[in-house]
């Protein structure tokens, strides 16, 4: 496949995001051939290229027709599943139809017409009276969602035949998944209410459900029914936990998704600012976050990255990278200080840069450092020396437990400026599925990706100088051609003689390259 790909498609596949979402394979006329979903889009689309010879003949025939690809990223596997289902229904691609029998899609079936309705995950739509939600190509994420919903709205998975109650409730009752309807412990009305709530969930009425439950909770609280209000509160919290990463409903397609994604990052940012609770930190238009990361191997080829998010979205033309100057031994704290010091000097009115840099000249509202207390205190010391500790707020994200650390700012003026004041930290924990934690993680991961990419580039240049320069017949021009054609030394090493000869005509030089590199 790789040999037949046009350069634009090849680049799109190489740049596929390592995020959940959907991919749309298209032919040369722009017609959609196939719609698929993935937890990691990069891994999935690259597998078509890497495993081409091992693909099923039917899939290989489709792959041969591919001329373009589109991606739509989402926040979770379940969202990818829902979006995939919606897009397949909308476009009905030929190869999705051909592969449907192989995949054996599933539906959530609710026999609402029954006196005691039940919920099942089925592969065939045999019951013509029942309601069906789907189809879903993958059962696993749907099963997980149903299990979580059963903890909020319990129902029996094995209702007794002829509506005759058992003397004892089923096993699921004892683990909180069944309401006890099978043993007559709750009324039919309550059972139907639970099933109806799950129907609304699959119909995309999740937020309406939550708002109605909040109204009920407030009414119970006003009437001093605190136990029932607390029970509703817990259900609301659980339902928000299930739905907070599922923004996509039945009606969402790729066009509506883009509109939805415009608002979501800003909402997550505003929630983050509120929960960080810095007295002087408020949301304003073009709110700027900078995140820093260090990448090195035992201190060698050390680099730093600065990435920028504005209003919760990446601004890639504002990213900057740093080659560490002052340290050749592994000291991430000193390296972090160097990077932030070099960045902050541009905010000084006394500093005259050789070149104007709009990114460096823009003051951040919030700085995130990749690391815990030690990394955070390193950054804070630089800000304090510059007199910016109460003008630019800083937090650290410790990877082990994904905990946020902030520094308690002492507003009391010290008489002795030289006196060492012990830094006090405050730990903040967000829900593991919260949109604000997801935003911080995304920013941190982007800084990490950018730092590693630059580190590899620097390391590769070092390898290129040390290895290629020793090969007879390889001068500056030949070396440049090799790097332009293959990218790095590893790819040059793996290249065949025939591939090398497309770049270098001299057979002796090709033989020398193969001899020295392999």
């Amino acid at each position: 496949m790789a040999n037949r790909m046009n350069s634009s498609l090849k680049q799109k596949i190489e740049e596929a995001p390592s995020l959940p979402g959907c991919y749309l394979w298209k032919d040369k006329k722009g017609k959609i051939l196939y719609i698929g979903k993935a937890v990691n889009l990069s891994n999935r689309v690259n597998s078509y290229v890497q495993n081409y010879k091992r693909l099923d003949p039917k899939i290989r025939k489709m792959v041969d027709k591919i001329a373009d690809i589109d991606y739509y990223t989402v926040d979770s596997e379940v969202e990818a599943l829902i979006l995939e289902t919606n897009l397949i229904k909308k476009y009905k691609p030929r190869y999705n139809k051909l592969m449907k029998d192989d995949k054996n899609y599933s539906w959530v079936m609710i026999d609402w017409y029954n006196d005691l309705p039940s919920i099942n995950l089925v592969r065939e739509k045999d019951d013509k009276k029942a309601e069906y939600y789907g189809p879903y190509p993958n059962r696993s994420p749907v099963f997980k969602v149903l299990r979580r919903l059963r903890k909020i709205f319990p129902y029996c998975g094995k209702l007794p035949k002829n509506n005759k109650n058992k003397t004892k409730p089923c096993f699921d009752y004892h683990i909180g998944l069944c309401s006890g309807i099978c043993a007559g412990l709750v009324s039919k009305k309550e059972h139907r209410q639970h099933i109806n709530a799950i129907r609304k969930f699959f119909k995309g009425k999740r937020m309406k459900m939550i708002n109605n439950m909040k109204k009920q909770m407030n009414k119970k609280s006003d009437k001093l029914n605190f136990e029932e209000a607390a029970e509703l509160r817990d259900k609301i919290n659980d339902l928000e936990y299930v739905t907070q990463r599922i923004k996509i409903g039945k009606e969402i397609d790729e066009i509506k998704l883009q509109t939805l994604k415009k608002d979501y990052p800003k909402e997550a940012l505003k929630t983050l600012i509120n929960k960080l609770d810095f007295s002087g930190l408020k949301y304003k238009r073009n709110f700027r976050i900078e995140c820093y990361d260090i990448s090195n191997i035992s201190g060698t080829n050390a680099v730093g990255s600065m990435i920028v998010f504005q209003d919760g979205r990446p601004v890639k033309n504002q990213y900057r990278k740093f080659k560490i100057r002052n340290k050749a031994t592994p000291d991430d704290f000193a390296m972090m200080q160097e990077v932030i010091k070099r960045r902050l000097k541009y905010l000084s009115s006394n500093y005259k840069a050789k070149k104007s840099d709009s990114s460096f000249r823009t003051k951040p509202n919030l700085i995130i450092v990749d690391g815990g207390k030690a990394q955070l205190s390193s950054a804070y010391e630089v800000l304090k020396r510059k007199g910016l500790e109460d003008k630019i707020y800083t937090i650290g994200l410790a990877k082990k437990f994904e905990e946020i650390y902030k520094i308690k700012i002492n507003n009391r003026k010290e008489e002795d400026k030289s006196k060492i004041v012990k830094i006090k930290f405050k730990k903040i924990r967000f829900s593991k599925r919260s949109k604000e934690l997801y935003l911080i993680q995304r920013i941190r991961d982007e800084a990490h990706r950018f730092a590693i990419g630059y580190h590899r580039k620097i390391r590769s240049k070092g390898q290129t100088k040390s290895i290629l320069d020793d090969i007879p017949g390889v001068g500056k021009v030949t070396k440049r051609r090799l790097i332009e054609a293959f990218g790095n030394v590893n790819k040059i090493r793996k290249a065949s003689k025939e591939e090398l000869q497309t770049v270098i005509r001299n057979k002796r030089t090709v033989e020398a390259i193969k001899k020295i590199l392999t």
Side-chain angles (χ1 to χ4, degrees), residues 26-39:
K26 296 180 175 182
D27 65 15
K28 60 185 179 182
K29 292 181 180 179
K31 188 176 180 181
I32 297 171
L33 296 168
Y34 180 74
I35 296 168
K37 67 150 182 58
V39 176

Side-chain angles (χ1 to χ4, degrees), residues 275-372:
K275 291 195 175 180
L276 289 178
D277 196 28
F278 284 113
S279 59
L281 190 65
K282 306 293 179 187
Y283 172 76
K284 59 182 180 180
R285 194 167 172 266
N286 296 328
F287 190 96
R288 182 182 175 97
I289 296 176
E290 292 179 2
C291 184
Y292 295 85
D293 190 26
I294 302 295
S295 182
N296 68 93
I297 297 176
S298 301
T300 61
N301 298 312
V303 299
S305 70
M306 176 190 103
I307 64 107
V308 177
F309 271 56
Q310 195 167 287
D311 281 344
R313 292 179 167 280
V315 187
K316 294 193 176 183
N317 64 356
Q318 300 272 298
Y319 289 13
R320 296 295 181 264
K321 48 199 176 190
F322 304 80
K323 196 171 181 181
I324 301 298
R325 298 169 181 168
N326 300 331
K327 278 283 179 180
T329 53
D331 188 343
D332 283 5
F333 311 128
M335 290 176 185
M336 181 66 77
Q337 286 191 325
E338 179 191 329
V339 166
I340 293 179
K341 186 179 179 181
R342 284 166 59 187
R343 185 268 174 272
L344 292 177
K345 69 184 179 184
Y346 286 84
L347 298 179
S348 171
S349 57
N350 298 324
Y351 181 73
K352 293 182 179 178
K354 291 179 181 178
K355 292 182 180 179
S356 179
D357 190 309
S358 61
S359 183
F360 281 149
R361 285 293 184 190
T362 307
K363 183 170 75 72
N365 302 101
L366 178 68
I367 285 177
I368 300 174
V369 293
D370 181 21

Side-chain angles (χ1 to χ4, degrees), residues 492-505:
I492 296 169
R493 183 182 288 116
K494 292 175 183 177
S496 65
K497 287 183 181 180
E498 291 75 17
E499 288 172 326
L500 289 170
Q501 281 172 352
T502 61
V503 180
I504 305 167
R505 292 181 181 178

